[in-house]
Amino acid sequence: MKRIIVITLLSQLLVISTFSQKKSEAQNIVNKAMPSEQWLNEEWQAQWITHPNITGDEVGVYLFKKVLSLEAVPQEYVINISADNRYVFYINGTVVARGPARSDLNRWQFATLDIAPYLKEGENHIAAKVWNMADLKPTAQMSYITGLIIQGNTSKEKEINTDKSWRVVIDEAYSFYMIKHLRRFYVAGPGEKFSGELHPWDWKTSDKEIAWKQAKAGKNGMPTKYYSVTGKTDARVLHPRSIAMMDAKPQSFAKVRKSEGITDAEGLITGDAPVEIPANSTVKILLDQGHLTNAYPQLQYSKGAKSNIQITYAESLFIPKDGMPTFDKGNRDEVDGKVMWGNYDIILPDGGDDRLFEPLWWRCFRYVELEITTDDEPLALNAFNSEFTAYPLDLKANFKCDDPRLSDIFEVAWRTQRLCAGEVFFDCPYYEQLQYTGDTRIQGLNTAYASGDTVLWKDAIQDYYDSQLPFGLTQSRYPSSQQQIIAPFSLVWITMVHDYMMHCNDQAFIEKMIPTMLGILNWFDERVEENGMLGQLESWLFVDWVDQWKTGYPPLNEDKKYSSVIGMQYVYTIHKAMDIFESYGMSGLRQKWEQKANLTQQSIIDNCWDEDKQLLADTPDKDVFSQHANILAVLSHSFPAEKQKELMQRVVNNKEIAPASYYFDFYKVAALKQVGLGNLYFSGLSVLSDLIDNGFTTFPEKFDPSRSDCHAWSASPLFYYYASIAGIAPTESGFKRFEMRPSLGELDYIEGKMPLRDGFISFNLKKKGKSGIRGKVIVPNNLGGVFNWNGQSIELKSGENSIGL
């Protein structure tokens, strides 16, 4: 096992810990502000402002400005801010906030900030850079028209309100281009071309030589709870930001891996001395972050008029064939014999001193290549580093055992999850940055068990609720400017709501979800045929990336129906919904859907069970088989308990049936745990250990060759170390009571803690003899549970519990 993974993670944490304490304290003050009740219920006094010469639906970057004069610095100065598409907000040249948090037009989020720490006596330059990428925008970005809005929280801050007193100028330095050469689905946004000659460099702190125009004022802001006297709302309905601001922490590249045309480029990452690029030369520099990251690259440079700097970003380098990149990447640590292939930005320096380029949106990368061509003036590269960005998750859980491989896996899984959590959860940070239901279910559990943070999980459930279409299904990914339906993902959303109910005490929120759940179930019920099986289903029927399946579709019969995989997923989902109905006193609904589940379940068994193979086939034709159909049959309790266990043993041992991928392993482990084969989880972790040996610093989307090297649906060890190895699971909604049923497999001992809202469940357990166990479990106040081991039980109470069985 290579140790570079641990070393680079520790290096990252060390760099992060050097972040300015002063800035952190100011940011904490900024983030603690709350919006006035007035601006949650009444029309805002502030207006949406824009540039007077645009229609608002074109590509552009706009610089907004207002100067406030203060006789004294106030103790607090609270504002509410939003923009369309995005903004960076500055005070006196310092970045204060980025936003808005991604959402849809009916829940357009505004941030409430206390900007007092950034103000000073005298003139204060209040500035915002706002951009609209129009048709080039990321698919995850929704939009109406270009605009900025700032509302002072009280009468003391009304001078900052956006109206015609603000000024604006178009920043002609920016242009954008689609990234379309990667031959893979890429929708994370365009590349940026930045021409330094056209940029007003001092605009954030000075008004000299800038052709400002008076801002055009439009409609007043309208919050979620406000309607006009005739019931009208704005096209963007303002809603308070539901999540924290993103982390913003500086980090440095680990090393220079290659350089051409220059002998010493180390100063670029150490900052010890500028790297001089001679006139009329071409240079390439390949940098390695040491691990995958999400960050705003920051290149500081001087001189070099008429030079061209291209910055290309990649998760890994690619193995070429006939001079062209293939989709094979090999060992992710290796660079020799490989080529750079990725999205990129272009900088055209203007020849000035102390310039800084930072793209409008962050980039995902491990490797970054600078390709530089100079003209008649040398170029000085003063420094190149980046600012890490992600949802501010804190790792509060820990896990130790006698196999060091599990610690390495946990660290890589944690980085994977962190990089797939921003303003929303997303499937992958490089290619899509879209929040998909299948991924989100796993991510919600990952973050809850590793960090105790359930805010982004709840926000995701709300997003899918908001996405529901008139015919009943939720959208497969949301927020998204491009509508997509994956019918099985609507089922996944229901199971995610159930997960949230079991782990979080949030009854009113769950109850609000029930009508949408029924809309989904009714859509499927309408497609149940007379034989009890699901007939034809519209939409993309993605279940898993399986080599034997085309585009993730499970096998169907010749009439494109009767999938036992999706049918059993439907039954499994009904069982989860029934638990929710029962929790809310809806026994009639529970009985109704139990009958429907029993009908479809029995029909699938009658039509798809193969007696010779002792497996459930994927269709009634009984010519193809998969782990998936049988896993879902077990999770749906389709057979007696003893038969379920035997079935899962055949599933994991049969190499001829279609296997589950990294994603569907989540369900396979759940089925193994359910039938008492949780010890098998440990042996399956060798696949992830092998990935680390192959240079992966995050876990990928699918088996190699994988498009994405970072997919949080592969980070489920964050959940299963506690839910399977330690065996911790809630047995009553709201985690009011829990069970602990450890499955140590080949491990001799485990030690760790798992965060809950009222503290931690801590454990220190060691095998005793051939079949015993001893140790202790510490339980938070007001929580009880039961410890189960080999048919014996110990009641767990608040405080320290001794285990000896």
Side-chain angles (χ1 to χ4, degrees), residues 332-626:
R332 271 47 172 183
D333 288 333
E334 297 173 358
V335 300
D336 292 338
K338 296 183 181 181
V339 295
M340 169 62 77
W341 195 30
N343 58 347
Y344 60 94
D345 297 314
I346 296 173
I347 309 168
L348 304 178
D350 64 316
D353 292 324
D354 300 321
R355 300 312 198 201
L356 171 67
F357 171 78
E358 177 186 84
L360 298 173
W361 188 243
W362 53 266
R363 306 300 186 216
C364 175
F365 57 87
R366 173 177 174 178
Y367 294 99
V368 175
E369 183 179 76
L370 296 176
E371 187 172 1
I372 302 166
T373 302
T374 56
D375 201 87
D376 292 337
E377 182 178 44
L379 172 69
L381 302 179
N382 301 324
F384 190 28
N385 44 45
S386 63
E387 183 179 86
F388 173 76
T389 182
Y391 181 84
L393 291 170
D394 291 325
L395 180 59
K396 295 180 179 177
N398 63 42
F399 186 93
K400 299 177 182 178
C401 66
D402 51 301
D403 189 330
R405 294 182 303 165
L406 269 66
S407 295
D408 295 337
I409 290 169
F410 189 88
E411 290 171 349
V412 173
W414 173 245
R415 183 184 292 114
T416 305
Q417 179 58 74
R418 284 229 71 191
L419 299 187
C420 292
E423 292 169 348
V424 295
F425 287 128
F426 30 77
D427 62 330
C428 57
Y430 191 92
Y431 288 91
E432 297 185 51
Q433 299 171 21
L434 281 162
Q435 182 169 253
Y436 285 88
T437 325
D439 307 69
T440 305
R441 183 188 179 195
I442 299 170
Q443 290 176 280
L445 291 166
N446 284 348
T447 51
Y449 275 58
S451 74
D453 190 323
T454 59
V455 173
L456 203 59
W457 189 11
K458 178 177 180 177
D459 209 54
I461 293 171
Q462 178 71 49
D463 284 334
Y464 297 121
Y465 171 86
D466 292 341
S467 80
Q468 187 181 29
L469 295 164
F471 51 81
L473 295 184
T474 51
Q475 296 182 46
S476 63
R477 58 191 189 197
Y478 206 76
S480 172
S481 59
Q482 186 179 76
Q483 187 171 293
Q484 184 194 63
I485 307 299
I486 300 176
F489 274 17
S490 289
L491 296 175
V492 173
W493 178 78
I494 294 175
T495 62
M496 177 168 32
V497 173
H498 181 271
D499 293 339
Y500 185 81
M501 180 189 76
M502 295 302 295
H503 290 84
C504 302
N505 190 16
D506 200 348
Q507 295 181 355
F509 177 73
I510 297 297
E511 188 171 12
K512 186 177 75 170
M513 301 296 117
I514 292 176
T516 299
M517 290 167 48
L518 288 170
I520 294 166
L521 294 177
N522 284 327
W523 185 91
F524 278 89
D525 183 50
E526 290 168 1
R527 286 151 181 80
V528 174
E529 297 196 347
E530 289 185 6
N531 66 358
M533 293 189 69
L534 288 170
Q536 287 192 3
L537 304 172
E538 307 92 308
S539 85
W540 184 13
L541 300 182
F542 177 86
V543 171
D544 190 17
W545 289 124
V546 177
D547 290 341
Q548 296 92 321
W549 297 356
K550 185 178 180 180
T551 325
Y553 279 69
L556 304 167
N557 74 350
E558 62 180 10
D559 295 326
K560 296 184 178 180
K561 54 186 180 181
Y562 299 156
S563 165
S564 70
V565 177
I566 299 176
M568 279 300 182
Q569 186 180 358
Y570 172 55
V571 174
Y572 168 65
T573 304
I574 291 176
H575 287 177
K576 299 291 187 181
M578 285 159 47
D579 285 349
I580 296 175
F581 299 151
E582 190 70 30
S583 294
Y584 286 86
M586 302 176 180
S587 56
L589 272 178
R590 188 192 189 288
Q591 293 170 6
K592 170 186 174 181
W593 285 100
E594 184 175 26
Q595 292 173 1
K596 292 179 180 295
N598 290 341
L599 173 66
T600 297
Q601 183 180 59
Q602 191 59 51
S603 177
I604 293 171
I605 294 170
D606 291 344
N607 287 282
C608 300
W609 180 255
D610 187 292
E611 192 63 31
D612 292 335
K613 288 185 169 59
Q614 288 290 292
L615 289 168
L616 196 67
D618 289 340
T619 71
D621 296 333
K622 300 182 183 180
D623 55 352
V624 285
F625 297 79
S626 68

Side-chain angles (χ1 to χ4, degrees), residues 48-50 56 60 62 64 82-87 99-100 105 108 130-133 137 141-149 235-236:
W48 284 96
I49 59 172
T50 190
Y62 309 94
F64 290 88
S82 191
D84 185 351
N85 300 165
R86 307 272 320 169
Y87 69 83
L105 296 177
W108 195 264
V130 175
W131 62 91
N132 187 339
M133 292 181 176
K137 67 182 181 295
Q141 180 67 56
M142 304 186 84
S143 176
Y144 174 49
I145 56 173
T146 304
L148 169 71
I149 192 165
R236 285 169 300 220

